[in-house]
Amino acid sequence: MRRSTGPRTGLPVIQTFRELVDLVTERPGLFVRYSHGPERDAEESSRDYEADVDLPGLSVTTIGPEPWWTRPAEDWIARRLCKYSDLDEGREARRRPWLLEGRVVASGPDHEPLVVDTVPVAWIGEGAIAEAKRRYRRRFQVG
C-alpha cells in the first residue's frame, strides 16, 4: 500500500485496485463504508431515515468474497465496491469509501451489517475506484 495519507485521518490510501484486492484477501472480515470518514462517523450514528430511527451501529458493506464464490476475488471486490459508488456522486461534501474492521451487532433495514468497535484501516483512492469500475463494467452485465 502506498504511504500517501487521506484527509484529516492520516489513514493510508489504497491507490490501485491490485492493492485493494491484496489487502481484502489477506485480511478477511474487512468492511467498506461510504461516508465523510472515520472522524465524522465517530460523532454520528447511522440512521434509518425512512423510519426515523437511529441504528445501533454503522451501516457497512461486506467486501470480501463469500466462500461459495467461484469467480475471481477481483470480480467480487469490484462489484461490492461499485454497488454503492453512487453515494459519492453529485454531493457538495463527497462521501468517500474507506475500509474498516468492526464487530457486527445487527442488520440494517436493507439487510446490511451494522458494526460497532470500528477500527479504520485505509481510504480507497480514486485510482482503485476507477479500476474497480472498469472491471465491473467489463465482467458483469451491469443494468
Side-chain angles (χ1 to χ4, degrees):
M1 190 173 352
R2 206 173 288 165
R3 296 306 296 160
S4 60
T5 59
R8 297 181 306 279
T9 62
L11 285 178
V13 177
I14 298 168
Q15 299 292 346
T16 69
F17 185 64
R18 179 78 259 152
E19 290 172 328
L20 176 62
V21 169
D22 290 346
L23 182 60
V24 169
T25 56
E26 291 168 10
R27 288 178 70 175
L30 291 177
F31 299 98
V32 66
R33 177 165 166 78
Y34 275 86
S35 74
H36 298 289
E39 289 178 350
R40 181 117 165 241
D41 286 345
E43 301 168 4
E44 301 176 354
S45 66
S46 291
R47 185 163 181 74
D48 178 346
Y49 291 100
E50 185 176 57
D52 196 29
V53 174
D54 286 331
L55 300 175
L58 288 179
S59 177
V60 297
T61 300
T62 58
I63 192 164
E66 291 288 332
W68 54 265
W69 185 252
T70 58
R71 292 173 60 166
E74 291 86 349
D75 288 352
W76 179 278
I77 294 165
R79 186 183 198 187
R80 299 302 286 172
L81 187 60
C82 291
K83 281 296 183 178
Y84 296 97
S85 65
D86 60 332
L87 291 176
D88 73 342
E89 295 174 1
R91 301 199 184 257
E92 188 175 316
R94 289 190 42 206
R95 296 179 187 193
R96 298 181 53 217
W98 54 285
L99 293 176
L100 64 145
E101 295 175 325
R103 182 172 53 88
V104 177
V105 293
S107 295
D110 294 321
H111 312 285
E112 75 279 16
L114 301 175
V115 298
V116 297
D117 304 329
T118 61
V119 177
V121 174
W123 288 104
I124 301 174
E126 296 292 332
I129 295 166
E131 290 176 57
K133 287 179 178 180
R134 283 192 296 274
R135 183 177 187 101
Y136 180 54
R137 286 191 295 271
R138 198 173 60 243
R139 304 277 295 173
F140 290 90
Q141 297 176 29
V142 180

